[in-house]
């Protein structure tokens, strides 16, 4: 297919201008012994052919009834969010290096940063990270730069993938990770044990609310008084923040989160948006792009990328991070999504999700052989379920078109026959009935 | 051609916080209060404005009109490969079938996605001349970090302690920061006549060298013709050769990093392979490696079981570095790149390179009479760097030329990069620009060089020259800061 290359018909004319006979002459600097005659991939196909071929492949894919979260959630994405993101003025632009020509995306990013600071109770936010896991990891590197200490305490109840990412970002600079255990009764992290774990060398404490098991950490408000001036990093589910205290209220220093749930579809885990916000005094250690407000030569309000002396293109190896391309378009989606909801909409959505979760849990608990939730702590949209032969039950539900939870035993051997399940506002009462009926037939 | 023909939309657009009145947040109902720990219930709610849909859509539509993009016009940002991307990719990649896939749903129910990922891994192996691929990194710099972590794992596996990365001054800008992220030391390598200096390289390589990060063609658009020799110098000392794939648009169908002797390669799928840049992202930065490095890839990779005829996620990589991101990469971007490669195929991709290089050389031929071309005798591929240093006597800087171009409805080139060229303007045409667009750019730049003034203030853009110094000094970076003013 060549219709994307407009000068094919003007080749002769352009070659004449260059005074050469063949385009190949332009490649004379590539030595012949490393040349190839062609790429060993198939010939191109037309849009129509490709569409038909892929429709055949995807035809067999039936929509599943999914009750899984673990870092990626199926929330409804309003059409207005998609409409804004589908504007080519946004999606086909580059990072706004020339602010005079790029005020649109710059103002939108300023609004995004502002909304994130309101949601987290922090003073500043960057224009996005790759995902929550890299945001956590970079927050820990920030903590090391701020405190010049190298030990980090994290909850034992942490997603194993997040743990693996954090390891790759922190091992290299001599940081090491200690784990804070959780209660097998409530699923809450033993915050009271923090005082035994922290040392002279502790840079930061990372906690999530809700934690990986979906349990709300009721004692998270006491952390700062235990850890003193060590950096307190909090991971949030942003959709809880219409109901719960924002981390700023309990003295978090850095807040991270996964923004996929804010107006971004799941896309097999490949729509992700790392939220990263902090207190103003740490702004010079913040990684990533930041947009600031200023004025133009006529005194009009204007926006531009700012505080660039932290960044890789200015500071090279002394930059706060190597991040360059980020997740701007997904940040825009998150912004439009939150602005459509507003404070009350966010609160109402949270209420709806909690009520659905409560209803599902109470129905599950009535089924013989099921204990839901296994952990007795408070929860939001995600919870543990104990079922005899959990793996087998899960597999037989898959055959019925239902994806119910993930198995926790591999990463948490102490949690035998336990699934981690999630629900969102997209699940209808009929969906819940279908799940319950399926479980009743196999349990 | 006159600058007066262009006007960008100019709205005095309020911030969403100024558009909406803050409404009273209602108290929580009792059943919800009882469902939450009392310690976490807040007396106040975050101050999020709620904007009715019509008002919100107008707000962002107006903002979009104050944003230049590839669909508006020429975007010759060097090293950024701002090509037009086929609309087919956007439409297909928004399909609900993919949007509703959860990363942990059963593999059986995600076969179409797994198949696309599997085929993309293989296509990227073929295109790079490598043997295995991870699709996990979310951006080019993220791919660099991933690659360097694998380089470290490789040396550690061989019981070698290698801590240095050699980075030429004509390499991409993120390289040093990525090396530092990976906990490695940077050895800077100066170029000679626009090319890597082999003698200097011999001196720089030692038993401490982990790898060299090669951009080829380099950021001057010059092909490192001694690349095979460079690879040999490194390999003889036990070091690896990393290929920064940001300039892939210059080599499709001509050569591969594998042929050059490279050991690992990252791609920028959002630059080269048809996924648009999204105003800054998301991107995708897969890394392809030789057989020797495959055992260190992040988990999982996608494999195909010939017996069951099923695609599956393989976590059994013996010496895997682990993970650099949750799940399997930015799937939506990967999908667009897959579609792009399938649409163009081997011939189409060769033509991409043919015309990216032809367009660039066409521009070069015309522009070298207007601004200075350093290292004039050496051929350029898909991009080139001009110097505006001769205008310095008139107090005119590359930045002024850049700002003046905006008035013509043209995006400026990359400026002040690479640092080996004084007052640099780095220009990349890409294959998707029609000759008439290139001619317009030449005409505009010729005019600008004649009429430019110091501290040029653009008149036809949404705002005049933006005070970036003030922005950095005062740092108003959220609405809270405005309220405090």
């Amino acid at each position: 297919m060549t219709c994307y290359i407009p000068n094919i018909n003007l080749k002769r004319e352009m070659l004449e201008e260059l005074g050469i006979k063949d385009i190949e002459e332009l490649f004379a600097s590539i030595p012949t012994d490393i040349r190839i005659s062609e790429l060993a991939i198939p010939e191109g196909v037309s849009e129509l052919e490709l569409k038909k071929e892929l429709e055949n492949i995807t035809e067999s894919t039936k929509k599943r009834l999914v009750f899984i979260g673990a870092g990626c959630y199926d929330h409804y994405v309003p059409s207005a969010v998609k409409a804004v993101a589908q504007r080519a003025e946004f999606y086909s632009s580059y990072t706004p290096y020339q602010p005079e020509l790029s005020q649109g995306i710059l103002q939108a990013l300023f609004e995004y940063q502002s909304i994130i600071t309101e949601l987290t109770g922090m003073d500043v936010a960057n224009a996005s990270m790759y995902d929550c896991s890299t945001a956590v990891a970079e927050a820990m590197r920030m903590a090391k730069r701020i405190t010049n200490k190298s030990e980090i305490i994290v909850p034992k109840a942490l997603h194993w993938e997040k743990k693996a990412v954090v390891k790759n970002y922190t091992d290299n600079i001599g940081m090491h990770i200690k784990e804070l255990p959780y209660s097998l009764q409530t699923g809450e992290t033993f915050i009271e044990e923090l005082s035994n774990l922290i040392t002279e060398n502790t840079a930061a404490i990372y906690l999530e609310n809700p934690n990986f098991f979906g349990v709300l950490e009721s004692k998270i408000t006491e952390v700062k008084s235990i850890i003193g001036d060590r950096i307190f990093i909090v991971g949030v589910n942003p959709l809880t923040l219409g109901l719960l205290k924002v981390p700023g209220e309990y003295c978090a220093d850095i807040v991270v989160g996964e923004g996929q749930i804010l107006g971004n579809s799941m896309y097999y885990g490949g729509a992700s948006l790392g939220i990263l916000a902090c207190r103003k005094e740490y702004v010079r250690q913040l990684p990533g792009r930041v947009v600031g407000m200023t004025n133009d030569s006529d005194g009009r309000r204007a926006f531009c990328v700012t505080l660039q002396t932290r960044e890789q293109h200015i500071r090279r190896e002394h930059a706060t991070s190597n991040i360059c391309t980020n997740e701007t378009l997904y940040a825009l989606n998150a912004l439009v999504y939150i602005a459509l909801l507003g404070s009350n909409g966010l609160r109402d959505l949270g209420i709806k999700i909690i009520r659905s979760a409560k209803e599902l849990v109470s129905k599950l608990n009535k089924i013989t052989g099921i204990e839901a939730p296994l952990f007795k702590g408070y929860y939001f949209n995600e919870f543990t379920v104990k079922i005899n032969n959990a793996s087998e039950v899960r597999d037989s539900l898959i055959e019925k078109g239902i994806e119910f939870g993930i198995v926790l035993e591999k990463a948490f051997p102490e949690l035998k026959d336990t699934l981690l399940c999630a629900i969102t506002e997209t699940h209808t009462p009929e969906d819940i009935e279908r799940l319950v009926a399926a479980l009743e037939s196999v349990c | 051609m006159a600058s007066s023909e262009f006007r960008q939309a100019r709205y005095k657009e309020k911030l969403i916080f100024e558009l909406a009145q803050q409404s009273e947040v209602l108290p929580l109902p009792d059943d919800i209060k009882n469902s939450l720990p009392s310690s976490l219930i807040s007396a106040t709610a975050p101050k999020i404005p709620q904007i009715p849909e019509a008002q919100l859509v107008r707000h962002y539509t107006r903002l979009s009109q104050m944003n230049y993009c590839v669909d508006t016009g020429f975007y010759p940002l060097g090293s950024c490969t701002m090509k037009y991307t086929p609309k087919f990719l956007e439409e297909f990649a928004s399909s609900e079938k993919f949007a509703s896939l959860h990363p942990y749903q059963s593999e059986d129910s995600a076969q179409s996605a797994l198949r696309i990922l599997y085929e993309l891994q293989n296509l990227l192996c073929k295109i790079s001349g490598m043997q295995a691929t991870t699709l996990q990194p979310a951006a080019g710099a993220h791919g660099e970090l991933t690659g360097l972590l694998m380089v470290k794992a490789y040396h550690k596996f061989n019981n070698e302690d290698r801590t240095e990365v050699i980075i030429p001054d004509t390499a991409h800008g993120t390289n040093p920061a990525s090396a530092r992220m990976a906990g490695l030391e940077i050895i800077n390598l100066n170029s000679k006549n626009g090319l890597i200096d082999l003698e200097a390289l011999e001196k720089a390589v030692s038993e401490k060298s982990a790898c060299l990060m090669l951009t080829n063609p380099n950021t001057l658009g010059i092909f490192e013709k001694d690349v095979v020799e460079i690879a040999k110098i490194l390999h003889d000392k036990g070091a690896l050769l990393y290929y920064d794939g940001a300039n892939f648009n210059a080599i499709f169908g001509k050569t591969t990093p594998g042929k050059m002797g490279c050991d690992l390669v990252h791609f920028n799928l959002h630059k080269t392979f048809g996924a648009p840049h999204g105003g800054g992202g998301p991107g995708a930065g897969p890394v392809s490696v030789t057989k020797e490095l495959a055992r260190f890839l992040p988990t999982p990779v996608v494999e195909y079981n010939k017996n069951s005829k099923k695609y599956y996620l393989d976590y059994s990589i013996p010496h895997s570095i682990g993970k650099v991101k949750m799940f399997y990469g930015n799937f939506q971007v990967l999908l667009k790149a897959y579609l792009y490669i399938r649409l163009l195929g081997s011939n189409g991709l060769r033509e991409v390179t043919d015309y990216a290089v032809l367009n660039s050389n066409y521009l070069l031929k015309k522009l070298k009479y207007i601004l200075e071309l350093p290292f004039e005798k050496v051929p350029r591929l898909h991009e080139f760097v001009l110097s505006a240093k001769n205008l310095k006597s008139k107090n005119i800087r590359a930045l002024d030329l850049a700002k003046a171009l905006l008035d013509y409805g043209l995006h400026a080139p990359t400026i002040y990069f690479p640092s080996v060229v004084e007052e640099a303007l780095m220009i990349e045409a890409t294959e998707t620009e029609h000759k008439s667009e290139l001619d317009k750019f030449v005409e505009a730049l010729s005019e600008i060089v004649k009429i430019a003034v110091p501290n040029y203030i653009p008149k036809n853009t949404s705002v005049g020259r933006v005070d970036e110094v003030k922005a950095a000094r005062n740092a108003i970076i959220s609405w809270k800061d405005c309220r405090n003013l």
Side-chain angles (χ1 to χ4, degrees):
Chain A
M1 283 296 294
T2 51
C3 59
Y4 313 120
I5 304 174
N7 288 341
I8 284 184
N9 297 328
L10 298 166
K11 179 169 135 183
R12 180 166 308 198
E13 190 184 325
M14 292 177 75
L15 287 175
E16 265 172 34
E17 289 268 1
L18 289 174
I20 57 174
K21 289 200 172 63
D22 193 330
I23 291 182
E24 272 306 310
E25 292 176 44
L26 297 172
F27 294 90
S29 57
I30 306 181
T32 48
D33 56 345
I34 59 166
R35 292 292 296 264
I36 55 170
S37 53
E38 60 176 357
L39 282 171
I41 63 169
E43 277 307 310
V45 295
S46 72
E47 290 185 359
L48 182 60
E49 285 169 303
L50 188 57
K51 191 167 182 235
K52 296 257 184 220
E53 179 196 317
L54 293 176
E55 274 171 359
N56 280 337
I57 297 172
T58 53
E59 203 175 349
S60 58
T61 311
K62 291 207 180 70
K63 174 99 170 98
R64 313 286 292 179
L65 181 52
V66 179
F67 289 91
I68 311 176
C72 185
Y73 302 84
D74 186 20
H75 292 285
Y76 176 68
V77 179
S79 299
V81 173
K82 294 180 190 164
V84 170
Q86 278 164 6
R87 291 201 67 91
E89 292 89 339
F90 289 132
Y91 78 69
S92 83
S93 66
Y94 201 77
T95 301
Y97 288 146
Q98 295 294 337
E100 294 82 3
L101 215 46
S102 315
Q103 284 300 297
I105 199 75
L106 284 162
Q107 182 170 335
L109 286 173
F110 183 87
E111 292 180 353
Y112 165 80
Q113 290 169 192
S114 302
I115 283 242
I116 296 300
T117 61
E118 296 291 342
L119 259 188
T120 56
M122 293 290 101
D123 305 314
V124 298
N126 76 7
S128 72
M129 304 301 285
Y130 305 136
D131 73 350
C132 184
S133 73
T134 65
V136 175
E138 295 246 27
M140 291 177 179
R141 293 179 67 111
M142 275 178 82
K144 179 168 193 280
R145 291 194 296 272
I146 294 165
T147 61
N148 209 17
K149 292 173 180 172
S150 56
E151 202 174 79
I152 304 277
I153 299 171
V154 305
K156 183 163 189 285
L158 191 63
H159 196 311
W160 55 89
E161 295 206 15
K162 214 175 264 174
K163 255 183 217 178
V165 174
V166 162
K167 190 171 185 301
N168 265 329
Y169 271 76
T170 54
D171 258 11
N172 289 307
I173 50 170
M175 298 182 75
H176 71 275
I177 310 281
K178 292 206 280 198
E179 290 184 352
L180 195 57
Y182 63 90
S183 157
L184 281 167
Q185 183 67 34
T186 63
E188 283 196 47
T189 303
F190 279 127
I191 284 167
E192 50 273 43
E193 286 195 19
L194 255 180
S195 48
N196 301 327
L197 266 185
I198 49 177
T199 70
E200 285 285 284
N201 195 30
T202 305
I205 287 81
Y206 173 62
L207 286 174
E208 295 182 337
N209 196 28
N211 69 21
F212 177 61
F213 300 138
V215 176
L216 294 169
E217 300 281 8
S218 64
K219 295 187 184 121
I220 200 165
T221 48
E222 297 163 22
V223 170
K224 194 65 184 178
S225 65
I226 301 173
I227 66 170
D229 55 7
R230 295 171 182 88
I231 302 294
F232 184 22
I233 308 169
V234 177
V236 291
N237 173 338
L239 289 182
T240 62
L241 298 175
L243 304 176
L244 303 179
K245 279 182 182 163
V246 302
E249 280 189 75
Y250 45 90
C251 303
D253 295 295
I254 306 175
V255 179
V256 298
E258 177 52 62
Q260 174 268 323
I261 60 169
L262 303 171
N264 292 291
S265 299
M266 296 191 290
Y267 282 111
Y268 210 37
S272 56
L273 166 65
I275 293 170
L276 181 53
C278 68
R279 297 200 175 279
K280 191 135 208 172
E281 56 259 50
Y282 307 131
V283 68
R284 298 275 160 190
Q285 296 303 335
L286 193 65
R289 309 249 183 236
V290 174
V291 172
M293 183 190 281
T294 179
N295 51 253
D296 75 353
S297 36
D298 294 328
R300 280 176 299 191
R301 183 158 81 185
F303 301 88
C304 63
V305 175
T306 193
L307 304 178
Q308 295 186 67
T309 49
R310 301 164 299 109
E311 287 197 69
Q312 45 76 31
H313 60 287
I314 309 272
R315 290 295 302 281
R316 290 173 62 88
E317 66 265 35
H318 304 296
T320 53
S321 168
N322 68 335
I323 187 169
C324 182
T325 292
N326 56 23
E327 308 285 319
T328 295
L329 199 66
Y330 294 162
L332 177 68
N333 289 343
L335 166 67
V336 180
Y337 179 82
I338 303 172
L340 271 172
L341 284 176
S343 298
N344 277 313
L346 191 65
R347 170 190 163 279
D348 293 346
L349 180 58
I351 290 172
K352 190 171 180 197
I353 291 169
I354 285 203
R355 285 184 178 150
S356 294
K358 290 264 155 200
E359 194 198 336
L360 175 57
V361 163
S362 100
K363 289 198 164 149
L364 291 175
N365 229 354
K366 288 188 187 126
I367 303 169
T368 319
I370 292 186
E371 189 183 356
L374 168 65
F375 293 131
K376 303 306 175 205
Y378 294 96
Y379 55 91
F380 177 61
N381 64 332
E382 196 155 25
F383 48 86
T384 45
V385 180
K386 178 122 178 166
I387 313 181
N388 295 331
N389 305 316
S391 288
E392 289 81 356
V393 170
R394 186 177 175 271
D395 289 347
S396 33
L397 257 63
I398 285 172
E399 281 171 28
K400 296 173 188 291
I402 302 172
E403 307 274 344
F404 184 57
I406 57 166
V407 178
L408 290 176
E409 191 177 335
K410 203 174 161 200
F412 301 91
E414 66 275 23
L415 299 179
K416 296 211 186 318
D417 286 328
T418 307
L419 300 177
L420 180 66
C421 307
I423 188 166
T424 74
E425 78 286 1
T426 62
H427 293 93
T428 61
E430 293 72 36
D431 291 337
I432 293 177
E433 286 311 320
R434 200 178 137 202
L435 170 67
V436 169
L439 277 167
E440 278 170 343
S441 71
V442 297
C443 280
Chain B
M1 163 120 199
S3 61
S4 59
E5 285 167 15
F6 172 73
R7 284 288 181 283
Q8 191 178 32
R10 181 178 283 194
Y11 298 104
K12 195 171 175 186
E13 192 62 23
K14 288 180 173 171
L15 289 160
I16 49 170
F17 305 90
E18 298 162 321
L19 283 172
Q21 288 291 320
Q22 195 61 45
S23 53
E24 192 70 22
V25 179
L26 304 164
L28 292 178
D30 285 345
D31 68 314
I32 298 300
K33 268 191 200 159
N34 295 334
S35 305
L36 297 170
S38 54
S39 59
L40 289 177
I41 295 175
S42 178
T44 57
K47 293 189 182 67
I48 310 290
Q50 182 180 13
I51 324 272
E53 181 171 324
Q55 214 182 345
L56 196 70
V57 168
R58 280 183 185 160
H59 172 66
Y60 290 110
T61 301
R62 287 192 295 257
L63 284 186
S64 79
Q65 289 171 339
M66 295 200 286
N67 215 54
Y68 191 81
C69 68
V70 159
D71 284 9
T72 321
F74 191 31
Y75 221 124
L77 269 177
S79 135
C80 299
T81 315
M82 284 298 281
K83 59 174 73 177
Y84 170 82
T85 59
K87 293 297 166 201
F88 178 78
L89 316 183
E90 289 309 305
E91 189 192 340
F92 195 89
S94 311
S95 143
E96 193 54 39
K97 285 240 156 114
F98 296 111
S100 63
L101 286 177
H102 190 284
Y104 289 148
Q105 72 181 66
S106 54
E107 288 172 1
D108 265 4
S109 67
Q111 285 294 301
S112 57
L114 286 168
R115 175 180 170 156
I116 284 167
L117 294 176
Y118 178 79
E119 288 185 10
L120 181 60
Q121 285 173 186
N122 289 342
L123 289 167
L124 294 178
C125 281
K126 294 278 189 333
I127 289 169
S128 57
M130 296 283 130
Q131 276 78 48
T133 298
T134 173
L135 301 173
Q136 203 171 98
H142 203 210
E144 290 170 24
L145 174 62
T146 308
L148 291 169
L149 291 173
M150 292 171 69
V151 168
K152 277 183 84 166
Y154 167 85
H155 291 307
K156 197 177 167 199
F157 181 78
N158 294 328
N159 287 320
E160 293 205 55
D161 183 26
R162 291 173 177 265
T163 52
E164 293 175 355
V165 178
I166 304 170
I167 302 178
D169 57 8
T170 50
H172 264 123
T174 44
N175 291 178
S178 296
R180 182 57 71 88
M181 287 285 280
L184 293 159
E185 291 304 313
I186 289 91
I187 304 293
N188 289 306
L189 186 68
N190 290 334
S191 55
K192 193 174 160 188
N193 299 324
L195 289 164
I196 286 178
D197 179 351
L198 294 185
E199 268 176 48
L201 175 63
E202 293 264 16
K203 281 183 201 140
V205 185
S206 73
E207 71 288 346
K208 292 198 130 189
S209 311
C211 69
L212 179 142
M213 295 182 85
L214 179 76
T215 304
N216 196 21
N218 63 28
T219 53
L220 294 166
I222 299 173
F223 193 85
E224 299 280 357
K225 61 182 173 44
D226 301 321
V227 60
V228 173
E229 182 64 19
I230 291 167
K232 189 171 181 304
I233 293 170
L234 290 158
H235 290 155
D236 283 353
K237 286 270 173 68
L240 298 176
L241 183 55
Y242 181 101
Y243 184 88
D244 183 318
N247 288 348
F248 236 106
N249 227 34
I251 63 162
F252 284 131
K254 307 294 171 187
T255 182
T256 67
K259 281 271 176 193
M260 295 179 208
C262 300
D263 301 286
L264 68 168
V265 180
H266 89 257
F267 295 90
N268 297 72
L269 297 187
H270 47 292
K271 291 182 177 181
T272 324
F273 292 87
H277 202 269
V287 180
S288 295
V289 300
T290 57
K291 218 162 85 187
E292 289 70 31
L293 286 166
R295 66 181 76 162
F296 307 108
L297 285 171
T299 53
V301 293
V302 184
E303 294 291 354
Y304 180 62
N305 183 324
K306 282 185 187 131
N307 296 325
S308 64
K309 297 199 167 74
K310 293 274 169 72
Y311 299 90
Y312 65 101
L313 295 162
D314 183 8
Y315 285 88
S316 66
I317 302 168
H319 300 280
S320 170
I321 58 161
K323 292 196 76 75
V324 293
K325 183 185 187 298
M326 302 266 285
F327 313 124
Y328 327 120
N330 272 338
F331 178 81
Q332 205 188 9
V333 181
L334 298 168
L335 174 58
K336 288 177 196 176
Y338 170 78
L339 298 172
Y340 181 79
I341 296 170
R342 290 292 315 279
L343 284 179
L344 284 125
S346 64
N347 267 340
L349 285 180
R350 185 181 46 75
E351 281 175 335
V352 162
T353 288
D354 278 344
Y355 286 87
V357 172
L358 178 64
N359 285 357
S360 177
N361 276 276
Y362 177 82
L363 270 188
L364 171 67
K365 170 105 193 234
K366 306 222 155 183
L367 292 177
K368 70 179 179 184
Y369 302 107
I370 300 169
L371 290 169
E372 192 179 325
L373 174 69
F375 320 113
E376 194 185 339
K377 295 275 181 286
V378 196
R380 301 301 201 276
L381 291 177
H382 72 304
E383 67 186 354
F384 59 94
V385 181
L386 297 174
S387 170
K389 71 173 179 196
N390 288 349
L391 298 171
K392 262 175 108 177
S393 57
K394 292 195 250 174
N395 266 333
I396 293 164
R397 312 274 319 270
L399 185 62
D400 298 312
L401 303 182
K403 297 300 178 199
L405 275 166
L406 310 182
D407 266 347
Y408 289 77
L410 297 160
H411 200 279
T414 300
I415 47 174
Y416 302 107
F417 186 82
S419 55
V420 287
V421 174
E422 203 184 330
E423 292 295 317
L425 289 106
M426 185 189 203
I427 299 167
E428 179 175 8
T430 86
E431 72 284 1
T432 58
E433 290 311 314
H434 191 268
K435 179 177 167 293
S436 59
E437 289 294 325
L438 305 177
D439 288 335
K440 247 200 276 184
F441 183 73
V442 172
E443 209 181 310
L445 199 58
S446 326
E447 209 169 276
I448 288 165
V449 168
K450 283 180 212 135
I451 60 163
V453 290
N455 301 314
Y456 184 92
I457 295 170
K459 297 171 288 296
N460 305 335
T461 46
S462 300
V463 292
R465 190 137 164 183
V466 175
D467 190 344
E468 299 190 43
V469 175
K470 182 183 168 190
R473 205 173 46 224
N474 293 352
I476 302 166
I477 53 181
S478 78
W479 176 239
K480 279 184 187 171
D481 295 337
C482 302
R483 282 196 311 237
N484 295 338
L485 283 180

